[in-house]
Amino acid sequence: MAYVTKFNAWFVDPPAFGSRHKTPIAGLFHVPTRGQAFFIFYLIAINIVLSAAGFHSMQPNSWYPSASGSDGEIISYLSNRFGVLSFANLVLLFLYAGRNNVLLWLTNWSHGTFLLLHRWVAWIATLQAVLHSAIYLEIYLHNGTHVSESRLPYWIWGVVVTLCMSILLPASILPVRARMYEFFLAWHALLSIFVLAGCYWHILARFSRQWGYENWVYAAIAIWAFDRVMRLARLARNGVKTARVTLIDEDYVRVDVEGVSGSGHAYLYFPTLTWRVWENHPFSVASTILAASDAGPSTLKDGTTNVEKLDSSTDGSDSDSLGRRHQASAKVGLSFLLRTRSGLTKQLRDHVSMPVLVESAYGPHEDLSGYPLLVCIAGGVGITACLPYLRAHPGVAKLFWGARGQGIIDAMAPALRGVEVETYVAGRMNIAEVLQKEFGQGIKTVVLVSGPSEMADEVRCVIGGLGRQSKGIEVKLVEEAFSW
């Protein structure tokens, strides 16, 4: 409905400020959408309210008999509240970070949204831990008991937790994640284990098991363990497979894995390419059917790609016979299109086949059948996220695709047979012009964007502007992207 489009254009889809959402500001952080910002505000507000409400002084008090009286008592209560809330937020931290987060199954929120919330909750939980520690430090310094208290196990473990959480924040900023992602994951996991262990021993040494504070730690461990067990189960279900690598051009390769089914995206492990056998990366599934005799375009000796271009206007008899031949020779498997930049993906170019572990499948596709018109805007390898939608859509499907070179377009031509395609090779697509033309038809439309962050942000801003200014248009924005 038109009013839903207008509501989303004002309160949900646009960046909270400025015009960039996927493109980081100063290379340091991402601006949340307005919808995400509302939820982040709620998280901050509820933590402030819960930190400040419900304190009552009861004097005389054997626990707080100091000369400070009720002031010292309330300050101690406040510090304890910060500590308890920090524990509670640890549960959310582990829940939001997991690939097998149950909230992903209960909502239509993306994994990227939950990772964004994970980072904000991390700041909140760390601030609460720091305040908890700083207030008690001041109390014990004021009472003259700091020297004796600081030697006790509960105090030492409390310091360990606060330090680890404080180190995790600056060690997890975007430039670190982007440049040293695998090392970031390693020390992130290591310090997180210290945080959980430290929280447990801090409570055990201070209160034993009197008040149940350790239950927050148990819950966080259970969520983390569930996610890891599910990852292992997905890997075990698929087993060790063989990945076949086909060069497309100097920028792209295709990886085919026979005998694996799934949709959405999958995490691929190439244990023979690196000593970091745990290293894995997410890739969108481009196809779930592989040709038995020829898994794809053949690579010539000069590095070019030989692709048979098939026109969507092929007559019915030829199309039917081609379809029967294809079905007869088809095999179940997953096909991925990768851009080889550096690191592990660059090493793939030097191999024809290798062992691979496939953790699949994640991110089932959203049902867009309620929209008569599907407009996909893709950049480069982003085409892989669009393909399943283009194939399954029951209405009119159009693709506007920008690529660095002709090789990838030729390689994907057979998969796009029957789809209305407009390509832009080594040139800039006028996104505003494209969308204005499509919306001018007055058809209920869904726009799917998958590509570079700048492209995604431009599509988001154009749709938001048209939704706010135009009357009667019905449009939905779907963004397919992985987040750091």
Side-chain angles (χ1 to χ4, degrees), residues 150-448:
S150 63
R151 296 173 180 171
L152 298 178
Y154 89 89
W155 184 278
I156 294 172
W157 281 113
V159 170
V160 169
V161 172
T162 304
L163 282 177
C164 286
M165 293 181 72
S166 300
I167 292 171
L168 274 170
L169 285 183
S172 304
I173 60 175
L174 181 59
V176 174
R177 300 197 306 272
R179 295 172 186 172
M180 299 181 291
Y181 186 69
E182 294 305 322
F183 290 104
F184 151 75
L185 285 181
W187 70 61
H188 205 73
L190 180 63
L191 290 178
S192 297
I193 291 172
F194 272 103
V195 168
L196 286 177
C199 286
Y200 178 78
W201 290 110
H202 175 68
I203 290 300
L204 201 67
R206 184 70 177 91
F207 300 112
S208 187
R209 292 185 174 86
Q210 296 180 70
W211 309 108
Y213 297 132
E214 69 278 2
N215 289 331
W216 295 110
V217 181
Y218 295 153
I221 293 174
I223 289 170
W224 180 85
F226 174 77
D227 180 60
R228 298 293 162 165
V229 168
M230 287 296 294
R231 292 189 191 187
L232 291 174
R234 293 175 190 267
L235 288 171
R237 180 184 62 184
N238 294 324
V240 180
K241 300 296 181 182
T242 299
R244 290 186 295 170
V245 181
T246 303
L247 299 182
I248 294 176
D249 58 22
E250 64 274 9
D251 291 316
Y252 301 99
V253 300
R254 200 184 70 219
V255 175
D256 297 317
V257 184
E258 186 180 322
V260 181
S261 61
S263 62
H265 65 272
Y267 291 84
L268 301 184
Y269 299 70
F270 298 98
T272 60
L273 292 186
T274 173
W275 61 268
R276 300 185 299 272
V277 294
W278 64 84
E279 183 173 341
N280 60 94
H281 298 276
F283 301 102
S284 295
V285 175
S287 177
T288 57
I289 298 294
L290 307 179
S293 59
D294 182 8
S298 58
T299 304
L300 303 180
K301 291 182 179 180
D302 62 358
T304 61
T305 304
N306 180 19
V307 180
E308 180 185 3
K309 295 186 180 180
L310 296 174
D311 191 2
S312 60
S313 62
T314 303
D315 64 77
S317 60
D318 290 344
S319 179
D320 290 344
S321 62
L322 178 64
R324 287 192 293 271
R325 291 197 303 271
H326 177 72
Q327 291 174 3
S329 62
K331 287 188 177 181
V332 174
L334 300 182
S335 183
F336 305 90
L337 199 62
L338 284 59
R339 183 179 176 188
T340 54
R341 296 184 178 180
S342 60
L344 186 144
T345 54
K346 186 177 181 180
Q347 296 179 51
L348 290 174
R349 301 186 67 88
D350 301 325
H351 296 77
V352 176
S353 66
M354 72 201 72
V356 64
L357 297 172
V358 182
E359 186 185 329
S360 66
Y362 289 96
H365 298 297
E366 187 175 350
D367 183 12
L368 305 179
S369 59
Y371 296 83
L373 175 60
L374 167 64
V375 176
C376 290
I377 297 182
V381 76
I383 184 63
T384 56
C386 298
L387 281 175
Y389 290 98
L390 290 167
R391 294 186 185 120
H393 194 68
V396 178
K398 298 181 179 181
L399 170 65
F400 299 88
W401 183 16
R404 293 160 57 91
Q406 188 66 35
I408 186 175
I409 293 176
D410 291 342
M412 300 306 295
L416 294 171
R417 189 185 302 110
V419 176
E420 185 177 335
V421 183
E422 189 171 327
T423 59
Y424 304 80
V425 180
R428 192 178 186 280
M429 183 191 314
N430 191 328
I431 292 175
E433 183 179 292
V434 167
L435 293 178
Q436 286 172 354
K437 178 182 177 181
E438 296 303 324
F439 294 163
Q441 302 178 32
I443 302 174
K444 187 178 180 182
T445 305
V446 56
V447 177
L448 172 69

Side-chain angles (χ1 to χ4, degrees), residues 93-110:
L93 269 177
F94 282 87
L95 180 64
Y96 290 166
R99 294 176 189 173
N100 297 282
N101 173 3
V102 295
L103 296 180
L104 284 168
W105 308 334
L106 298 176
T107 69
N108 65 345
W109 292 6
S110 67

Side-chain angles (χ1 to χ4, degrees), residues 72-87:
E73 178 189 359
I74 296 298
I75 290 173
S76 297
Y77 291 159
L78 177 63
S79 181
N80 290 338
R81 182 73 60 82
F82 283 139
V84 172
L85 288 175
S86 185
F87 269 42

